[in-house]
Amino acid sequence: MYSIFNLTNGGIILDKLVINGPTRLKGEVNISGAKNAAVAILPATLLINGVCTIDNMPNISDVKIYCNILEELGAKITWTGKNEIQVDTRNISCKNVPIDMTSKFRASYYLLGSLLGRCGSAEVGVPGGCKLGARPIDQHIKGFEALGAKVDVTGGKIVAKAKKLTGNHIYMDIVSVGATINVMLASVLAEGTTTIDNPAKEPHIVDVANFLNTMGADIRGAGTDVIKINGVKELKGNITYSVVPDQIEAGTFMLAAVASRGDILIKNCVAEHLDSVIAKIVEVGANVEDLGDSIHVWMNKRPSKAIIKTLPYPGFPTDLQPQMGVCLSLADGTSIINESIWESRFQYTEELNKMGAKITAQGKSAIFEGVKSLTGAPVYMTDLRAGAALIIAGISASGTTEVYNLDHIDRGYENIEEKFRKLGAKIQRVTE
Ligand code: EPU
């Protein structure tokens, strides 16, 4: 899926988005299931010997890659609806992990927790994914070792083995989404009780815990400061589950309404998951109506300046920082964003500057001197959320914007251009 047709690789460009702006987005949009929950729930199915039906599964390339990996392991995957999938894990061979596929893909690290839980051993390529700076996995390894596994990183692979997994008390030195989920996956079938102190609290943590509990796990406290997992002997299949709505996709459309000075009803989302984002967009002048399972956002003036710091949930999400950056590049006054999660999440600012933004990024901070308008230009997605930001910028800018490197956006947003088109955007995918 990581296309060789990519300018930064010196190859040939395959697809681009051509956007003619400016457009004030108006209408309704339906939010898909959460990518970051889906890519943990799929490997979690390996913990049972049976069939799971999962609904609200986003139809995105990260999910398709995960399905391919599960098939290589012997799972039978059937799409039973546009967003419904059936996973049959009765014939799994834990030894068949396709190392080359896993090393291109961040969420492949969840195979470590789930295969350790199912088979007591796992071998996975050192995970790739968006280039956001260093992405260590020491907290994952610390968690597995506390449960009794031996973990080695060698020859581009992570090899984990355990004769037996036993519950333990684990304090996370850093709040980590991936490590929290991985420890949950590895400990649901361990003997005794595992306690995770200082876990991540994102909605997808709660969703993965709910999924595991639906299969018979005993996880309490997901979404709070302490998670307790009482190991059970086995998990059962024949369950159906619906993936939580994607709060990052919902936030992306909220910020698109702000940047384009539009009026959008964002449906099938959980407003409570976006409290920090709602607070910040109200601060910059947006109107927001919290309707529980939908959010109405409208904006009829230039955003005002703001100071933002990204933080683990319930703080302002790093995965909405670039989209917020577009709003602040158009704000009245000078704004500051401090990125506290990733080292290199300001690569998109160089692209926005090509469109007339005035952003100075250094290290984990960026200063946005607001400009009145942006102008279309050829720009390149550097990662998934940078891609979403550039699309919002193209819709808000005057003239034509061409956005390249679409493999990034296809990883995490289902039918993004169609959703924006329905809101009035003039956006086309063009194959060259
Ligand atoms: N960290 C460590 N050691 C670890 C794990 C993480 O130092 O063992 C550090 C990271 O370097 C980072 C911070 O802790 O500075 C948080 O990392 P976390 O483990 O929470 O991130 P992740 O699990 O690798 C997930 C999402 C990211 C999202 C982050 C933060 C998935 C597949 N990815 O990554 O999503 O930015 O949590 O919320 O769930 C995206 O969707 O665009 C995306 C990048």
Side-chain angles (χ1 to χ4, degrees):
M1 295 312 299
Y2 290 80
S3 155
I4 57 160
F5 302 104
N6 175 324
L7 245 198
T8 51
N9 290 348
I12 307 157
I13 298 163
L14 185 64
D15 278 347
K16 65 179 175 186
L17 288 174
V18 179
I19 307 170
N20 285 299
T23 302
R24 297 179 82 152
L25 297 172
K26 193 168 171 39
E28 297 180 359
V29 63
N30 265 312
I31 297 307
S32 302
K35 166 184 94 84
N36 289 343
V39 295
I41 285 173
L42 284 168
T45 63
L46 293 171
L47 288 163
I48 55 147
N49 203 349
V51 182
C52 299
T53 304
I54 308 159
D55 191 15
N56 207 28
M57 181 59 74
N59 205 325
I60 52 177
S61 71
D62 267 10
V63 161
K64 290 175 196 156
I65 296 174
Y66 233 122
C67 289
N68 292 341
I69 292 176
L70 294 185
E71 281 174 336
E72 295 278 329
L73 284 164
K76 189 163 173 260
I77 310 268
T78 317
W79 283 86
T80 41
K82 186 173 157 277
N83 293 103
E84 190 186 87
I85 198 171
Q86 219 172 60
V87 187
D88 179 346
T89 54
R90 282 175 293 187
N91 289 309
I92 294 297
S93 159
C94 292
K95 302 241 176 296
N96 289 349
V97 176
I99 300 297
D100 54 334
M101 281 163 89
T102 56
S103 54
K104 287 183 185 137
F105 180 47
R106 191 81 207 151
S108 60
Y109 50 35
Y110 292 135
L111 291 168
L112 289 166
S114 52
L115 291 178
L116 258 182
R118 176 160 179 157
C119 315
S121 69
E123 212 172 293
V124 171
V126 172
C130 282
K131 303 274 178 282
L132 307 172
R135 298 188 76 170
I137 55 161
D138 54 301
Q139 298 302 305
H140 304 236
I141 294 174
K142 171 179 161 170
F144 297 144
E145 287 179 342
L147 297 173
K150 186 171 176 308
V151 186
D152 286 311
V153 183
T154 165
K157 290 189 282 190
I158 305 163
V159 183
K161 285 191 183 122
K163 283 205 179 88
K164 182 180 165 196
L165 293 168
T166 311
N168 205 342
H169 183 198
I170 299 160
Y171 168 74
M172 296 278 171
D173 301 299
I174 288 175
V175 176
S176 161
V177 168
T180 303
I181 292 179
N182 242 337
V183 171
M184 289 198 304
L185 293 171
S187 60
V188 280
L189 293 172
E191 193 178 292
T193 300
T194 300
T195 308
I196 311 176
D197 265 340
N198 197 28
K201 295 183 245 181
E202 272 70 2
H204 31 287
I205 304 283
V206 179
D207 204 43
V208 175
N210 287 342
F211 175 70
L212 291 166
N213 284 344
T214 308
M215 298 201 295
D218 183 359
I219 304 176
R220 297 160 196 214
T224 73
D225 290 329
V226 183
I227 301 180
K228 267 206 163 82
I229 304 130
N230 294 314
V232 295
K233 286 233 153 50
E234 63 172 351
L235 301 179
K236 59 178 189 328
N238 287 330
I239 58 134
T240 55
Y241 190 80
S242 186
V243 178
V244 70
D246 195 321
Q247 91 272 20
I248 301 301
E249 189 196 7
T252 298
F253 282 100
M254 288 164 68
L255 294 164
V258 175
S260 74
R261 297 190 209 173
D263 183 338
I264 308 182
L265 180 65
I266 298 138
K267 295 170 76 177
N268 182 37
C269 62
V270 183
E272 196 190 318
H273 292 166
L274 286 148
D275 281 349
S276 61
V277 183
I278 293 175
K280 260 352 226 185
I281 64 172
V282 166
E283 200 179 305
V284 302
N287 303 289
V288 180
E289 216 178 343
D290 169 352
L291 302 166
D293 61 355
S294 52
I295 307 173
H296 180 196
V297 180
W298 70 105
M299 182 79 174
N300 34 34
K301 57 182 179 192
R302 198 175 164 195
S304 41
K305 63 184 178 175
I307 294 178
I308 307 268
K309 180 169 183 170
T310 62
L311 288 169
Y313 186 84
F316 192 94
T318 174
D319 293 344
L320 288 172
Q321 184 262 100
Q323 302 87 316
M324 187 74 198
V326 179
C327 302
L328 297 184
S329 71
L330 288 162
D332 188 4
T334 300
S335 304
I336 298 174
I337 298 186
N338 195 286
E339 168 59 54
S340 80
I341 310 291
W342 299 118
E343 280 167 13
S344 310
R345 207 160 206 176
F346 285 122
Q347 296 168 72
Y348 71 95
T349 59
E350 272 183 47
E351 303 303 304
L352 283 188
N353 284 348
K354 291 180 190 165
M355 301 175 73
K358 285 194 181 154
I359 310 167
T360 312
Q362 198 170 36
K364 287 171 120 183
S365 297
I367 298 170
F368 294 70
E369 282 175 66
V371 295
K372 282 204 168 122
S373 60
L374 297 173
T375 320
V379 286
Y380 299 89
M381 295 183 181
T382 48
D383 60 73
L384 169 60
R385 308 302 172 186
L390 294 177
I391 294 174
I392 296 173
I395 291 167
S396 310
S398 43
T400 302
T401 298
E402 292 177 330
V403 192
Y404 296 97
N405 288 354
L406 303 189
D407 46 350
H408 289 298
I409 198 85
D410 292 337
R411 286 187 40 225
Y413 289 87
E414 181 172 330
N415 289 335
I416 191 155
E417 66 260 35
E418 204 179 305
K419 289 187 182 184
F420 274 121
R421 235 185 339 261
K422 281 196 181 142
L423 294 169
K426 295 178 193 76
I427 176 168
Q428 293 298 333
R429 189 175 287 241
V430 176
T431 300
E432 290 189 342

